[in-house]
Amino acid sequence: SRYYREVLPGEIVKISRHDVQTLDVVRRPEGDPSAFCIFEYVYFARPDSIFEGQMVYSVRRRCGQQLAIEAPVEADLVSTVPESATPAALGYAQKCGLPYVEVLCKNRYVGRTFIQPNMRLRQLGVAKKFGVLSDNFKGKRVVIIDDSIVRGNTISPIIKLLRESGAKEVHIRVASPPIRFPCYMGINIPTKEELIANRPEFRDLANYIGADSVVYLSVEGLVSSVQESIKERQENSPKSQKSFIGKIGHCTACLTGEYPVELEW
């Protein structure tokens, strides 16, 4: 029979023809909580993935709702760059009571932008990658929800495209905090110098990317969106299981610079 479940952090599992056995669960030293990568929820994972008993899609929608609480804006509609930030955009729209409207559609007939040899071609590639649904937003104030702005290259040609196609205002809301630090845990984050959050342009990011405003989700807002339903489930679990529950922990090193282990060079 097929058997699926999450492998716990530090768990050693033996899978044979007959069964699935837990051989050991290695705890973190000094009883530190586990440090699951928070960016899996923000960006890397498929929306139908389930981590820590919760669906990634639902966490992203909660991030959008939290972003609406932290950074509302006077606007006519909410949209996104298709389609990784769609759950967050739907959450934002729902919380603000604004309609969620598509402003761009993916053009299926172009290659990948990131393999273009230089920046100019990459930016042209971004503009070609999307069709503009101008009837949906002409003369209107648009909020675009993005899941993360890493270098800032991709979003500016999109803002330009929307303005040229009749958007009255373009506000950017980012459903994750700025990435500021490198990851030493195996995720290929660009160098500190390449990250827009560490560059002088970040001080006036809206002007740099051509938006009317830009606001990121706070680190606290992201952590609460991720941990909310884990805490609820723990509180509602039967007493007999309470002793198995570890402290909830997530790695936020790329956002805060606080690494879950000592770095030795």
Side-chain angles (χ1 to χ4, degrees):
S1 68
R2 288 191 169 190
Y3 173 80
Y4 294 111
R5 72 161 173 82
E6 260 186 287
V7 176
L8 298 169
E11 183 182 13
I12 301 165
V13 176
K14 178 186 171 192
I15 301 171
S16 70
R17 263 185 321 198
H18 312 295
D19 61 0
V20 177
Q21 279 180 308
T22 296
L23 300 183
D24 196 6
V25 178
V26 181
R27 300 272 171 218
R28 287 198 57 209
E30 283 103 50
D32 286 343
S34 64
F36 184 83
C37 169
I38 209 153
F39 232 67
E40 286 280 3
Y41 285 110
V42 169
Y43 186 72
F44 296 119
R46 268 172 41 165
D48 60 338
S49 304
I50 292 176
F51 297 134
E52 304 176 296
Q54 57 184 347
M55 192 177 275
V56 169
Y57 185 100
S58 307
V59 173
R60 288 178 185 166
R61 191 176 57 214
R62 277 204 300 276
C63 286
Q65 291 170 333
Q66 180 61 27
L67 187 58
I69 294 167
E70 291 182 14
V73 61
E74 291 275 316
D76 303 305
L77 60 99
V78 175
S79 196
T80 184
V81 181
E83 51 241 14
S84 54
T86 303
L90 288 164
Y92 189 97
Q94 180 194 0
K95 196 77 177 169
C96 284
L98 290 170
Y100 171 79
V101 178
E102 291 177 319
V103 298
L104 298 167
C105 61
K106 260 192 166 159
N107 176 354
R108 260 174 268 160
Y109 311 106
V110 291
R112 305 302 300 261
T113 48
F114 72 87
I115 54 174
Q116 298 292 352
N118 64 39
M119 184 69 66
R120 182 80 193 106
L121 279 175
R122 272 208 296 273
Q123 291 188 336
L124 281 170
V126 166
K128 279 208 308 254
K129 206 169 166 177
F130 298 105
V132 186
L133 306 172
S134 49
D135 282 5
N136 289 356
F137 62 87
K138 215 170 258 176
K140 293 187 173 161
R141 300 165 299 175
V142 181
V143 186
I144 295 287
I145 309 296
D146 208 347
D147 45 19
S148 61
I149 297 178
V150 180
R151 290 187 181 90
N153 302 337
T154 312
I155 195 76
S156 26
I158 284 166
I159 296 167
K160 193 163 178 271
L161 202 60
L162 295 175
R163 286 199 191 282
E164 284 168 359
S165 307
K168 189 176 167 192
E169 291 174 15
V170 182
H171 298 273
I172 303 295
R173 293 293 178 270
V174 189
S176 65
I179 301 177
R180 297 175 187 276
F181 300 91
C183 175
Y184 300 108
M185 320 293 159
I187 300 301
N188 188 12
I189 285 176
T191 59
K192 247 183 160 173
E193 296 69 42
E194 282 181 274
L195 294 167
I196 191 74
N198 296 326
R199 296 175 65 87
E201 295 89 343
F202 192 68
R203 285 187 212 116
D204 188 5
L205 184 58
N207 187 40
Y208 178 68
I209 63 174
D212 289 278
S213 70
V214 182
V215 187
Y216 283 79
L217 183 63
S218 67
V219 175
E220 303 70 42
L222 172 61
V223 170
S224 70
S225 301
V226 167
Q227 294 185 354
E228 188 184 309
S229 76
I230 301 175
K231 283 181 176 154
E232 263 171 37
R233 221 178 31 260
Q234 288 193 356
E235 279 155 20
N236 298 330
S237 65
K239 280 229 159 57
S240 58
Q241 287 177 21
K242 290 267 198 263
S243 59
F244 293 105
I245 294 166
K247 288 196 220 105
I248 307 167
H250 289 92
C251 179
T252 58
C254 60
L255 314 171
T256 60
E258 290 163 24
Y259 294 90
V261 290
E262 287 281 317
L263 299 171
E264 293 173 21
W265 304 109

